[in-house]
Amino acid sequence: MTYTVAAVLGLAGAVAVDLLVLRTRVLLSLVFWATYPIVLLFQLLSNGVLTGRGVVRYAPEAITGVRIAYAPVEDLVFGFALVLFTLSLWVWTGRRRRSARP
């Protein structure tokens, strides 16, 4: 399995968890889209440093070759999925705690 396939599957899984499984709808929130550029900026900085300095290397046949700030685009897709999944769980857990209070 290539890193590209893994990133796309991770994205599909995170979207499915958000919209279909937990039904938190984080992805449809204006707050999410207004604040995600902050996360993206720091993701680009850290990925750029790690891949630009050769700390992390990717097999050319495992990625598309498209890079942003030295990092493969797959890193951005995977990072987006990770943030979405984490926030979906966080929102879902918070809702459960509020509804469980007497």
Side-chain angles (χ1 to χ4, degrees), residues 3 6-8 10-11 36 43 73-84:
Y3 191 52
V8 170
L11 177 61
Y36 188 73
Q43 185 182 4
V73 72
E74 290 88 348
D75 271 0
L76 300 177
V77 173
F78 188 70
F80 180 87
L82 200 60
V83 169
L84 176 61

Side-chain angles (χ1 to χ4, degrees), residues 3-75:
Y3 191 52
T4 305
V5 171
V8 170
L9 288 175
L11 177 61
V15 170
V17 166
D18 178 45
L19 298 177
L20 304 173
V21 177
L22 301 179
R23 298 183 191 164
T24 51
R25 298 171 48 109
V26 169
L27 195 58
L28 304 178
S29 165
L30 180 61
V31 172
F32 174 77
W33 290 108
T35 56
Y36 188 73
I38 298 167
V39 174
L40 182 61
L41 171 69
F42 286 101
Q43 185 182 4
L44 285 170
L45 284 171
S46 60
N47 280 349
V49 169
L50 292 173
T51 55
R53 295 197 172 263
V55 175
V56 177
R57 296 183 185 169
Y58 297 92
E61 64 275 3
I63 60 174
T64 61
V66 177
R67 292 179 177 262
I68 300 173
Y70 298 106
V73 72
E74 290 88 348
D75 271 0

